[in-house]
Amino acid sequence: MADTKTSRKGVAAALTPLSKKAGPIDMKGAVQAAIAFAKEFFPQAKDIRLEEVEPVSSGWSVVISFTTGEPGTLAFALGQGVPRIYKTIAIESESGHAQSLKVWKQ
């Protein structure tokens, strides 16, 4: 029983919001924050992928892509996959909060 309580505490610690960390977040934290934001903002998002990350003056610019469904029969027959949606999410370095969401232009 004690092991269960310990593992639950570990899970709770892992789910602590990024804003409670001391100091600015690093690249890995920015990516995690961007993916969490995308999952919350786009609940239908599937197969979320990291495309780009770069530092900007106020934090991080993270580009992700995702799909929202299954390919149609015609698209599948033509060998086309599900179209991906690309978004740029600006993550503020001190708090880890998303500051903006834009369509990423390829």
Side-chain angles (χ1 to χ4, degrees):
M1 191 80 147
D3 291 334
T4 304
K5 289 181 182 178
T6 304
S7 64
R8 285 184 184 165
K9 286 180 184 176
V11 170
L15 297 176
T16 302
L18 293 173
S19 61
K20 293 192 178 187
K21 286 186 172 183
I25 63 169
D26 61 1
M27 184 185 297
K28 185 177 178 180
V31 170
Q32 290 172 343
I35 290 174
F37 176 78
K39 286 179 179 179
E40 182 179 335
F41 204 76
F42 300 101
Q44 73 280 18
K46 298 177 184 176
D47 189 24
I48 297 174
R49 296 180 188 171
L50 173 64
E51 301 293 341
E52 292 180 1
V53 181
E54 69 178 323
V56 292
S57 61
S58 63
W60 298 93
S61 175
V62 182
V63 178
I64 59 155
S65 69
F66 57 89
T67 62
T68 58
E70 300 299 321
T73 307
L74 181 59
F76 183 74
L78 295 174
Q80 298 173 347
V82 178
R84 299 196 69 77
I85 298 168
Y86 294 84
K87 300 291 183 184
T88 301
I89 302 170
I91 302 295
E92 201 271 324
S93 63
E94 292 299 320
S95 68
H97 292 117
Q99 298 298 308
S100 69
L101 172 70
K102 298 179 182 179
V103 175
W104 183 66
K105 308 235 187 309
Q106 291 186 355

